[in-house]
Structures are given as C-alpha cells and as structure tokens.
Amino acid sequence: MARKTYRIEGMHCASCAVNIEKSVRKLKGVRNAKVNFAANKLYVEAGSDVSDSSIAEAVSRVGDYRALSEDAPERKGEEAGTAGNRRVVFIVQGLDNPHCAMVVEKAIRSVNGVKKLSLNINSHKADVLYSGPEEMKEMIRKAIERAGYKVMGEESESLTQEDAEIREMREAKRRMLGAWVFSLPVAVLMFAEMFAGVRVPFINWLFILAAAPVLFHFGRRTYVSGLKSARYLAFNMDFLIALGTLVAFITGFMRLFLPMENYAAIAAMIMSFHLTGRYVEAKARGRASQEIRKLLELGAKSAVVVRKGKEMEISVSEVRPGDVMVVKPGEKIPTDGTVVKGESSVDESMVTGESLPVEKRKGDAVIGATVNQDGILYVKATRVGKDTFLANIIRLVEEAQGSSVPIQEFADRVTAYFVPVVMIISLATLVLWLSFPETMKSLASFFSFLPWINPDIGTVALALFASIAVLVIACPCALGLATPTALMVSSGMGARNGILIRRGEAIQTMKDVRIIVFDKTGTITRGKPEVREIFAKGSEKRVMEVAAGLEKLSEHPLSKAVVNKAREMGLTGVVNVKGFRILRGRGVEGKAGTKRIVIGNEALMKERGIPLAGFEEKIKDFEERGFTAIVVSENRKVIGVIGIADAVKEDSAQAIKELNRSGYRTVMVTGDNERTAKAIAREVGIREVIANVLPEDKVRKVRELQEEGKVAFVGDGINDAPALKQADVGIAIGTGTDIAIEAGDIVLAKGSLRGVVQAINLSKAAFRKIRQNLFWAFAYNIAAIPLAVMGVLHPVIAEIAMASSSITVVANANLLRRVKI
C-alpha cells in the first residue's frame, strides 16, 4: 500500500472533510482516507492501481472540491537532477475529465523521450518529465494540440501550498468585498425600516435586485458546493447556507402576492457574513499552517558544486549524491553530506534548536539547511531531495498534522450526522411554528426587548424566520477545526525547538503519564566513553603519554577515549612500539624502547604479578562511581590509573531534576551492571534503577511498570525500539538509529533530555487548547440552536455568530505560540 498526499481546494467545513473521506474510501483499492480540514490535506493509503485521477474524481463528486496531488513536486526533487532530464508543466484547455486525460496522455507518450507524466483534470495541468534537448518541449506541445486540445500556457514550477493559500485568500477577499457592495445599502434600508419605520418606494424590488448578485454571483461557489453535496446525499455546511438564503430570497417574490415579510435583504446579509467568515477563517488557518512553510524556507535554493574540476552554481534540486559542494562562510549547506575538506563551525540551531555552533572537520556529517560560520567546507552530498534530514522533519510534522487525537473522534462522529440533524430540526421548527403559533410566540415574548421580535408578523413569516435562523446558526466547522488547528500550531512550534510530534494521540496520552523510563547509553549519557579522571603518583601527562602510545594502536572504544584525552592535553603519544598485543577483555601490552608497558584492568595486573600497592583504594573508588579503571604500568610498576566512563550529557541532570519536581516517577532501565547504573543515576538524580536488563527484557519491564500507571519511554538504540512501541508514549532521541526514531511517538531532534521536559510542556499546552476549542464549539451549538428554534435569534445575527465560532477556535489555537515550553 502506498501513502499519497493531496491538497484539497474548495473545502469549507468539517462536513466537507467527512464527505470527502467517505467518497474516497468507497474507491476499490483504497484502504484508508483521512482529511485534515485545517491543513486542507487528504492522506490516502491505496494500492498502486488507484490513480490520481480516480481520487480527484471521487473528491469532486461530493462538492465543488479539487484534489491536487503533492507527489509531482517530490518527483521533481528526486528526478530533475538526473543528467539530461527536463521538466515542463503545460496548462491544457479542456483537460477536465478522465476521458480527456486518456487522450492527452496517449498523445504525450507518443513523443520519444518522455520519462514520466502526471495529469491533473482539476488544475488542467500536464506535468511532463522528459529526456532530451529543450526543443522537445515544443514537440510535446504540438502532440497535445494534434490531439485536439489547446495549450493555454506553461508553468516552470508546480503551484506551492503557499501560492494556493494566497490565491484562495485573494479570491475569498474579492467575493467578500463584492458581496458587501450590494449588501450594505439594503442593510441600511432594512434597519432604517426596522428601527425608525422609514419606508422606501419599491423597497421589495430593491431587496430582490440587490440580493441576486450577492447570492448567485459572489455566493455561487456556496450554492454549487451545496447542490453537489445534496446530489450525493452528502450534505455539508454550504448546503445549509444555500438552503437558508434561497428560502429567504424566495420570500421577496412571495411578498409581492402574499401578506408576509420580505427576507431577501436578510439572505444577502447572511451570504455576506458567510463570505466574510470564510475570508477571515482562511487567513487564520494560513497563520496556523505557517510553521511548515518556515521549515520549507530553511532549505538552500542553490549550491556550488565541483564538476570536472570546475566550480559551478546549480539549483539545489540538481545536486546528486556524490557531488562535492563548496560552502563558504555565511552560506547554507545545500544538502546532507560529509566534510571531505576544510574545518569550520556550523550553526545547527534552525534544525536542532541547539544554540551553540558545532565544530566540523574532515569526516564529520553535516545537515542540509544549517549555516557554515567561519571556514570554507567541501562537503560530499550523501542525501538529497526527500531523503534529507530537513525533508524528514517536514514529513514527520505533516504526519503529525494529519494524525488524530482520541478526543476528536467523538467530535468527528457528531460532525458526520450534524447537517442532516440540523435540517430535521429546521423542518421541525417550521412545523412547530405553523402548528402551535401561540405557544411559540409566548416563548419568544420573553425576549421582546430585542427589536426584531414582533408578534404582529404573520405566522408563516415567523416560522420561516425561525427555521432559516436554525439553518444558518448551526456550525460543524468549529468542531472540525478544534483539534487540527491546535495540532498544526503545536507540531510546528515543536519542530522549531527540535521536538517532532509524530503521532497526535501522544498529546492526549502524555497528560496522563506519571512514570518516565530512560535508557542509559546514548539517552542520559553521550554513548561515547571519555576519560573522566586521572590518578598518578607522579605526572598525569607522563601517564597519558605512555598510555596513548599503546592505545593508539587499538580500535577499542576505551582506547579511543585515552587517545582523544591525550590529544586534548597536547600530547602526541608518538612512541616506537614493538611486540604490541591486544589481550581480549583485559587490556594491551607492548615494548616502548627498553620499557615493558602493560595497560589494562585489575585482573590483568594480578595475572602479570604487578603489585597495586597504593592504588587499590583509587581503583575501588573509580568503580563505585561507575568508572572503568584502566591501570597503566611501566616495567612492572604501576604509574597511574585512568578512570573512563560514558559521560553524562550536560543537561541530563537539570532535565531530570525538573521532572522529579513536577511529580514524575523517573526510572532508568539499562543492561549495565548495578554499580555503574546506580552511579549514573545518582549523578543525574534518577530515583529508581533497573540494571542488568537484556534488550528483549526491556519490553517486559515497561509492561510491568504500566500496571502502575501510564509510562513514557525515552530511548535511542535499535534495542529500544520494542520498548518505545510498548510504552504509552515513546520518545525517541533523534541522534540515535532510524529504527528507534520510527518507533517513537515523539522525536527529539537534538538528543537533549531537556527536550523531554519541553515535549511534556508542549503536549499539555496543546491538549489544553484542544479541550478549550471543543468546549466552545459544543457550547456554542448547544446554546444557539434552541434560541434559533424559539425565533429569538435574527438570521443575520445567527450567521455572524456562526462565522465567529470558527474564527474563535482558530484564533485560540494560534494563542499556543505565546506558551513558553
């Protein structure tokens, strides 16, 4: 099963999202379809036989919606850089149905050199990847025109999401302003009549003529979407607005023949407020999704590469694995790679959140989009396009924005039945007012202080007034936006701080977590042995010089720790060693000049009969503190002991202290011996230690702890992946293995345990916003619909309230940005 992503245009409410999901899921070969209303995205899991055009047709079938595949830009990143390949996007007039697409596809594929082709019947675009000279573009154009279709123009790039949002907002603004040009004058006349009793000649016709362009020109999309949804019995919010305004408009003609009120002006105002709400909501949703755009903007646009001995500047999309890129001070590193020449410090803050620059030299890995600081680096590209670190971060953020939270499931179920229920309530309201007019009037009389409450109006007019108000007051949009908008903002905030929320449900679960379990190596510690202390009867430098002379010939991690420390101390360790031997599990030995050197553990010294007098206490002290004691001897005489340990990360102790203070139970699970484990636990403040745990037993330990409460597991290695999956919330260290990262619900990109505290704070803040949004969305509908049934709410006021509810939910989600994590 392949996972495909589509951008949906024309979607206006949560009911739209539900209807699109239902329509796509009915397609043969589709396993699942999920719409993220706030992000305007459709995520489809389907077999390879399900085409983009069939998805697009299923989407457009239930409303005035367009599904635009997001795979084309990704293919460009993968393939446009292949030697000799070019890409062109034609806009083809008449490419608007599957049959036309088949004809155009056949015509384009008749041109030799066409590698890949993507047709979109909604945007009328033919996206062609071809191999050959630039002139082939004209051959493809002529092939399309020979098939009977006109090429209207050409695009060099596919429309980005930001372009689509800008276009949507511009169009929404045009419709809104146009509607108000006609609505404002009649609104003034309507309120003048309502409050001052001013009557204008031919006012009925003025109301009808002014309302017509507002409803049927500027509000046309609302009617088309509503009618399409009705055609397939997949009613949406647009249907309610369309039905309410149409009935109100018809009363204008009825007034000409019957003694009743003319609500045509009210219809115009309802549509105007509806279009205003759509515009403001589109702007607010644009702000909610800006975090993903900020991540996209981080990437470099061009790269300087060395080809055939010459430096040349190319688009970053044309960089291929193996290319050597030249990165000057102040420039962004174009893509992930390895330094092959040069030294510099690199600012990785925009990717990992780490403020201090990181030193890079030959052999070090660098991340695309990070900034080179002070030296020239020659970087060999290792990962390009969708495989880069930044692309993976963006993918993880989009996955999070497309995921769901359990609390939202109830809201989704309500949304699925919302519009049909509202239609039934509206019809019931009409029947109640016509059947029991006096009872309904007496209920409305409690609100007689409102200027539009007029019991002298005819029963039919009052019945229509109330039923129209019910249609336009009901709003499933706020319910549908409650969770996605909060997820969009929180996942974007997290990404900027090196916290990637992969699964939305982790946000809800995290609030109930009381036990946090840590792996040791690579999680609390660096996962890299370091010399922590040197004990010598004479000179420490002498001890390190002798030790490094032999240890540099070994590849053991402890040997590398000794050599690195000697280098930091300015010692070369250059000694002519003869007879070097590695003694497995004990140490090394060899001859330096006339001196016999033996370096290793206490057992090796005893085996060689080397006395440890004066050093036993220090060896014991090192071991109690969790250090590995390396004894250095020269000519059967001990000259010093080196204490080596896996160094604790700088902020581990502070992070665990904050967790302890917040009431969390902190536990360390490790395969190390109990003495070493307890020493590390004491150093960082962890209260419980479970040592000598085999990798396969970590899952069992997590399961046992889950019997006492919700558990979060923090780990980084391959052996942590099962435990990360078993835990209620898995937090993977991003500097670890890909397997661990894939198993995590939350990924910490910079590998700092401070990120655990931040992730918890962010999750709590996001879930708080989700609960607030859902409360207000439900409270609004529960309070507003009964008032509308009683005839208390003026339809115009009802529409203002409906639009405001969606805007309030989105604005509240955006307030998350103010939270300090």
Side-chain angles (χ1 to χ4, degrees):
M1 287 280 174
R3 181 180 169 88
K4 300 180 180 181
T5 305
Y6 300 85
R7 187 174 69 250
I8 305 297
E9 293 183 356
M11 190 164 55
H12 300 306
C13 69
S15 293
C16 301
V18 171
N19 294 335
I20 289 171
E21 284 178 1
K22 285 181 179 177
S23 180
V24 175
R25 282 173 185 162
K26 288 177 183 177
L27 290 175
K28 187 178 180 181
V30 172
R31 186 168 73 179
N32 192 26
K34 179 70 179 174
V35 172
N36 185 327
F37 173 43
N40 289 318
K41 293 282 182 73
L42 165 65
Y43 303 96
V44 180
E45 288 181 44
S48 56
D49 56 329
V50 179
S51 65
D52 290 345
S53 57
S54 62
I55 298 285
E57 189 179 357
V59 169
S60 62
R61 190 184 301 141
V62 291
D64 189 23
Y65 316 122
R66 291 162 298 286
L68 309 176
S69 173
E70 295 204 336
D71 292 337
E74 183 172 283
R75 283 196 305 275
K76 185 185 178 205
E78 295 174 34
E79 299 160 352
T82 306
N85 280 3
R86 300 176 188 274
R87 178 172 176 264
V88 63
V89 181
F90 287 120
I91 301 169
V92 183
Q93 187 179 40
L95 181 63
D96 53 13
N97 63 68
H99 174 73
C100 297
M102 288 172 59
V103 176
V104 172
E105 179 177 359
K106 188 175 180 180
I108 294 173
R109 291 198 183 278
S110 69
V111 179
N112 287 330
V114 171
K115 297 286 187 184
K116 282 205 173 184
L117 171 63
S118 174
L119 301 175
N120 192 308
I121 61 175
N122 292 307
S123 58
H124 315 298
K125 290 178 185 176
D127 187 341
V128 187
L129 187 77
Y130 64 94
S131 176
E134 183 75 17
E135 292 74 24
M136 272 192 65
K137 186 164 61 177
E138 194 58 34
M139 294 170 63
I140 295 168
R141 179 195 294 268
K142 287 179 179 177
I144 295 170
E145 291 178 345
R146 277 199 303 272
Y149 297 87
K150 185 177 179 182
V151 175
M152 301 298 293
E154 177 188 329
E155 286 190 357
S156 58
E157 297 286 343
S158 291
L159 196 68
T160 65
Q161 181 173 348
E162 185 174 10
D163 293 333
E165 286 176 358
I166 291 170
R167 187 180 67 181
E168 181 186 349
M169 279 190 275
R170 190 181 294 127
E171 181 63 21
K173 186 177 181 179
R174 184 191 68 80
R175 291 196 297 267
M176 174 192 72
L177 293 176
W180 279 114
V181 166
F182 290 92
S183 295
L184 274 177
V186 295
V188 171
L189 293 175
M190 184 180 74
F191 287 120
E193 182 181 0
M194 185 185 296
F195 295 110
V198 176
R199 296 285 297 176
V200 177
F202 306 109
I203 194 166
N204 285 330
W205 282 107
L206 283 174
F207 284 174
I208 292 169
L209 293 174
V214 175
L215 302 184
F216 306 117
H217 178 64
F218 299 108
R220 178 183 168 278
R221 281 185 63 178
T222 302
Y223 278 92
V224 170
S225 174
L227 290 172
K228 271 194 174 185
S229 72
R231 179 179 165 191
Y232 293 97
L233 299 178
F235 302 104
N236 61 12
M237 188 66 214
D238 287 338
F239 179 79
L240 294 181
I241 298 296
L243 182 62
T245 52
L246 187 63
V247 171
F249 180 72
I250 291 170
T251 61
F253 293 99
M254 293 173 68
R255 167 79 183 203
L256 299 174
F257 309 103
L258 298 170
M260 64 178 300
E261 294 299 307
N262 180 350
Y263 292 142
I266 290 176
M269 290 187 67
I270 289 172
M271 183 61 77
S272 297
F273 276 113
H274 174 67
L275 296 176
T276 302
R278 289 282 176 255
Y279 170 63
V280 177
E281 186 184 311
K283 287 195 74 173
R285 281 162 64 188
R287 283 197 295 274
S289 64
Q290 70 183 2
E291 302 296 346
I292 198 81
R293 293 200 296 272
K294 287 179 181 176
L295 289 174
L296 288 166
E297 288 165 5
L298 290 177
K301 302 297 184 288
S302 62
V304 175
V305 298
V306 179
R307 288 182 181 171
K308 295 180 180 179
K310 293 182 180 180
E311 292 184 9
M312 56 187 293
E313 186 172 351
I314 60 174
S315 168
V316 74
S317 64
E318 296 177 38
V319 175
R320 304 192 299 268
D323 277 340
V324 175
M325 305 172 289
V326 183
V327 189
K328 296 175 182 176
E331 292 181 347
K332 288 183 178 180
I333 296 172
T335 191
D336 297 359
T338 305
V339 177
V340 294
K341 182 181 174 184
E343 291 186 7
S344 182
S345 57
V346 174
D347 179 4
E348 297 184 340
S349 60
M350 69 282 293
V351 174
T352 65
E354 185 62 56
S355 58
L356 293 175
V358 181
E359 293 298 322
K360 300 290 182 182
R361 54 175 62 92
K362 185 177 178 180
D364 288 343
V366 291
I367 300 170
T370 56
V371 180
N372 182 24
Q373 298 263 287
D374 49 28
I376 295 179
L377 290 177
Y378 289 79
V379 179
K380 184 178 181 180
T382 55
R383 294 187 293 188
V384 300
K386 69 180 181 65
D387 297 321
T388 63
F389 182 85
L390 181 62
N392 279 324
I393 285 181
I394 292 167
R395 177 179 61 81
L396 290 174
V397 172
E398 286 184 332
E399 280 182 5
Q401 293 180 350
S403 63
S404 60
V405 177
I407 196 173
Q408 177 69 18
E409 292 175 4
F410 175 66
D412 288 343
R413 287 197 295 271
V414 171
T415 301
Y417 299 102
F418 191 90
V419 174
V421 168
V422 167
M423 290 167 60
I424 292 169
I425 293 173
S426 179
L427 183 61
T429 301
L430 186 68
V431 172
L432 278 172
W433 274 92
L434 292 176
S435 304
F436 309 102
E438 296 307 317
T439 304
M440 298 304 291
K441 283 181 183 181
S442 64
L443 284 173
S445 66
F446 287 107
F447 300 88
S448 58
F449 57 88
L450 296 172
W452 54 82
I453 302 296
N454 184 0
D456 297 329
I457 298 174
T459 300
V460 174
L462 286 171
L464 286 172
F465 183 92
S467 58
I468 290 169
V470 170
L471 286 174
V472 299
I473 190 70
C475 181
C477 303
L479 290 172
L481 286 167
T483 297
T485 49
L487 271 179
M488 288 179 74
V489 176
S490 60
S491 58
M493 282 176 64
R496 283 192 290 122
N497 287 279
I499 302 162
L500 307 175
I501 302 169
R502 294 193 65 235
R503 296 181 181 90
E505 57 264 32
I507 286 177
Q508 181 168 341
T509 309
M510 185 59 87
K511 73 179 177 60
D512 298 320
V513 166
R514 297 265 49 93
I515 305 167
I516 301 179
V517 181
F518 296 90
D519 172 50
K520 180 181 78 69
T521 306
T523 302
I524 296 171
T525 64
R526 295 179 183 277
K528 183 180 176 183
E530 293 180 1
V531 173
R532 304 290 295 279
E533 193 173 321
I534 305 164
F535 177 75
K537 285 292 177 71
S539 166
E540 288 186 3
K541 283 193 174 184
R542 171 67 182 149
V543 172
M544 291 304 297
E545 184 81 53
V546 171
L550 258 68
E551 298 286 16
K552 70 179 182 180
L553 301 175
S554 171
E555 291 298 315
H556 194 281
L558 297 180
S559 299
K560 289 181 178 180
V562 171
V563 174
N564 289 337
K565 182 64 176 178
R567 189 183 294 125
E568 286 176 18
M569 295 170 70
L571 306 174
T572 60
V574 177
V575 181
N576 185 17
V577 178
K578 293 180 181 178
F580 175 77
R581 287 177 62 204
I582 295 175
L583 306 169
R584 298 292 175 194
R586 291 167 294 162
V588 296
E589 66 178 359
K591 204 170 182 181
T594 60
K595 296 174 181 177
R596 187 74 186 172
I597 311 296
V598 179
I599 303 171
N601 56 24
E602 187 178 1
L604 178 61
M605 297 301 125
K606 288 178 180 178
E607 182 187 310
R608 290 287 191 268
I610 299 171
L612 294 168
F615 290 90
E616 292 97 336
E617 287 298 317
K618 198 61 188 179
I619 292 170
K620 185 179 179 183
D621 173 56
F622 276 178
E623 289 177 347
E624 284 179 350
R625 289 159 60 191
F627 295 177
T628 299
I630 303 296
V631 183
V632 182
S633 72
E634 187 178 69
N635 288 339
R636 299 179 58 78
K637 182 183 177 182
V638 176
I639 62 172
V641 182
I642 302 170
I644 298 177
D646 186 1
V648 171
K649 292 176 182 177
E650 293 89 344
D651 54 4
S652 290
Q654 180 60 35
I656 290 165
K657 182 181 177 182
E658 288 185 41
L659 293 173
N660 287 334
R661 193 167 53 227
S662 299
Y664 290 99
R665 178 180 164 192
T666 52
V667 181
M668 184 168 75
V669 175
T670 178
D672 272 358
N673 63 75
E674 193 165 353
R675 182 189 289 176
T676 301
K678 285 186 174 179
I680 296 292
R682 276 196 305 271
E683 188 175 347
V684 298
I686 285 182
R687 293 169 176 170
E688 294 179 46
V689 175
I690 305 173
N692 299 308
V693 178
L694 294 173
E696 56 269 26
D697 290 335
K698 285 185 179 180
V699 172
R700 182 170 55 81
K701 293 296 181 184
V702 169
R703 201 177 288 126
E704 287 172 5
L705 289 168
Q706 283 177 315
E707 293 175 5
E708 302 174 45
K710 297 277 187 183
V711 173
F713 185 91
V714 187
D716 78 317
I718 291 174
N719 60 3
D720 294 327
L724 286 165
K725 281 285 187 186
Q726 174 63 37
D728 298 288
V729 178
I731 303 176
I733 302 295
T735 52
T737 67
D738 289 340
I739 294 173
I741 291 169
E742 286 299 318
D745 301 305
I746 296 172
V747 178
L748 307 182
K750 60 183 176 182
S752 162
L753 287 192
R754 180 81 185 95
V756 176
V757 179
Q758 291 178 314
I760 290 171
N761 293 340
L762 179 61
S763 297
K764 286 183 174 180
F767 190 71
R768 200 158 47 240
K769 285 297 175 190
I770 290 170
R771 280 197 301 196
Q772 289 171 6
N773 283 349
L774 287 172
F775 169 79
W776 288 114
F778 277 110
Y780 160 81
N781 282 291
I782 290 168
I785 292 175
L787 291 173
V789 171
M790 291 164 60
V792 172
L793 279 181
H794 193 287
V796 173
I797 304 298
E799 176 56 30
I800 294 172
M802 188 276 284
S804 300
S805 68
S806 296
I807 296 164
T808 302
V809 163
V810 178
N812 188 43
N814 276 294
L815 290 177
L816 257 177
R817 300 181 202 282
R818 299 183 181 181
V819 175
K820 290 184 179 180
I821 60 172

